[in-house]
Amino acid sequence: MPDPNEERLKYLFNASAIEVPKAEEGQKRKFKGTAYAGGRVDGHWYWGRSGVVFDLDGIEIDKPTALLEEHFGSSRIGVVQAVDTSGKIDVSGDFLTNAKAQEIVQDSDDGFPFQMSMMIDPGSIEEVSQGKTVTVNGQLFEGPITIFRQNRIREFTICSTGADRNTSIKAFSGKANPNPTKEDTNVTELEQAQAKIKELEGQVNTLTEQNKQFAAAKREAEITALSKDLGKEFSAEDITEMKNLDESAFAFSAKHLRQFSATQPQKPTLPDYLTKHQAQGGQNQFNAGQPQSIADLAKARK
């Protein structure tokens, strides 16, 4: 069963800034604003950046309608007295005289940039696919796009700019776009492709690093095994050379080292020609011309 709060958040939409005109003598403080400009609204956490359009044909809005703070039903701050749905949704009304409403009025007078938001309840939802077009509110829109039909506005609310930024993943951020173009869709697709490429590059880098670590550990184990088989402790220089050999060169060198060791059981250590020390004169005939190091063995293979 879906989370009721999550379901509710799917239908909350931020609109443009709300205006709070200066007080007129003997009158309640008033407000006015455009709750919806009539075009494409994009950037929603649930409906995606392809956007949503609210069909104003037959829309139902209670008169009067409650004005809340941050969508909390217990925080009543005003009443929407008039609504104009001719191509957009313009609203106006009065603030209440309670402490919370007066606090918002005072903050607005001090320059705080409040925004208007609304909760819209669609009777049906139409998905327009890529390459298709649809006319809504006298405007032509290209898919992909989502159309809300048979709508009802259940509430209007005032949100602080800071709160909106902190919860932007749960609500629309930004104004409606009255002039949708195919370029908007292309940009969205490009951004999605770039994000996917970046994600895949990160995965490749991670796998590459893991492969390097595995290869290094494997070579360490192979060197240890070779040292044990030969009965010799390699010098740090020998170990460094062996680590730098590619897979085939190391395998070739290790194979011949083991073969040579097997033919000389009387010698528990490696022959002189496999060390870094040159024989000092009187080299026996067996040693003459033999490779002098692990690296020489690898070179001899080439």
Side-chain angles (χ1 to χ4, degrees):
M1 180 176 180
D3 183 346
N5 291 328
E6 193 81 356
E7 282 294 307
R8 182 173 181 273
L9 289 170
K10 288 162 55 175
Y11 304 106
L12 302 184
F13 306 91
N14 283 349
S16 57
I18 190 170
E19 298 180 38
V20 182
K22 294 298 182 182
E24 298 180 9
E25 186 175 355
Q27 300 291 322
K28 294 180 179 180
R29 289 302 297 269
K30 299 184 179 298
F31 62 84
K32 61 180 179 179
T34 299
Y36 173 53
R40 181 194 299 254
V41 184
D42 58 17
H44 192 265
W45 70 277
Y46 181 83
W47 301 104
R49 294 198 59 186
S50 58
V52 178
V53 175
F54 312 129
D55 186 0
L56 298 178
D57 186 20
I59 190 169
E60 296 181 15
I61 303 176
D62 295 337
K63 298 176 184 177
T65 306
L67 181 69
L68 308 177
E69 180 195 26
E70 307 289 356
H71 296 284
F72 292 113
S74 61
S75 187
R76 301 176 294 275
I77 58 173
V79 178
V80 175
Q81 302 286 5
V83 179
D84 182 0
T85 58
S86 301
K88 55 183 178 177
I89 302 176
D90 284 335
V91 300
S92 60
D94 305 321
F95 282 104
L96 301 179
T97 57
N98 62 38
K100 176 55 67 175
Q102 294 309 305
E103 179 183 341
I104 290 175
V105 167
Q106 184 59 57
D107 288 347
S108 179
D109 288 345
D110 291 340
F112 193 88
F114 288 106
Q115 288 184 322
M116 175 169 282
S117 180
M118 64 181 180
M119 181 175 184
I120 187 166
D121 182 14
S124 64
I125 297 175
E126 175 185 347
E127 299 288 349
V128 180
S129 59
Q130 178 79 39
K132 302 292 185 179
T133 60
V134 61
T135 300
V136 185
N137 303 331
Q139 302 178 49
L140 183 66
F141 299 93
E142 295 182 0
I145 196 167
T146 301
I147 311 299
F148 282 15
R149 307 277 194 185
Q150 295 89 46
N151 299 298
R152 178 185 177 189
I153 303 294
R154 303 181 64 180
E155 67 179 54
F156 293 99
T157 193
I158 288 181
C159 299
S160 63
T161 303
D164 176 58
R165 288 176 180 170
N166 291 335
T167 59
S168 60
I169 62 171
K170 294 296 186 183
F172 276 96
S173 56
K175 301 177 182 179
N177 176 13
N179 297 307
T181 65
K182 192 168 183 62
E183 182 180 1
D184 293 337
T185 301
N186 291 338
V187 169
T188 298
E189 292 175 349
L190 176 60
E191 291 174 346
Q192 292 173 345
Q194 290 173 337
K196 187 62 176 179
I197 290 172
K198 187 174 181 180
E199 177 186 349
L200 293 175
E201 287 176 344
Q203 293 175 359
V204 170
N205 292 337
T206 299
L207 291 173
T208 300
E209 184 60 30
Q210 290 175 346
N211 186 57
K212 287 180 180 178
Q213 293 174 1
F214 173 78
K218 179 174 179 288
R219 181 58 56 84
E220 289 275 4
E222 290 172 339
I223 293 171
T224 299
L226 180 61
S227 175
K228 182 178 179 180
D229 292 346
L230 300 180
K232 174 180 175 59
E233 183 177 347
F234 296 119
S235 68
E237 186 177 359
D238 282 336
I239 291 175
T240 299
E241 286 188 0
M242 285 188 282
K243 286 182 176 180
N244 290 333
L245 292 174
D246 63 32
E247 188 70 26
S248 59
F250 177 82
F252 174 83
S253 301
K255 174 183 176 181
H256 285 273
L257 284 170
R258 286 188 171 95
Q259 289 176 347
F260 180 83
S261 177
T263 63
Q264 309 231 353
Q266 74 280 12
K267 292 186 178 182
T269 59
L270 288 174
D272 289 341
Y273 78 81
L274 293 178
T275 69
K276 294 298 182 183
H277 306 291
Q278 297 287 341
Q280 298 297 322
Q283 280 186 321
N284 59 42
Q285 187 175 7
F286 183 81
N287 286 335
Q290 295 291 340
Q292 300 299 307
S293 69
I294 301 252
D296 291 336
L297 271 175
K299 292 177 181 177
R301 180 171 175 260
K302 296 180 179 180

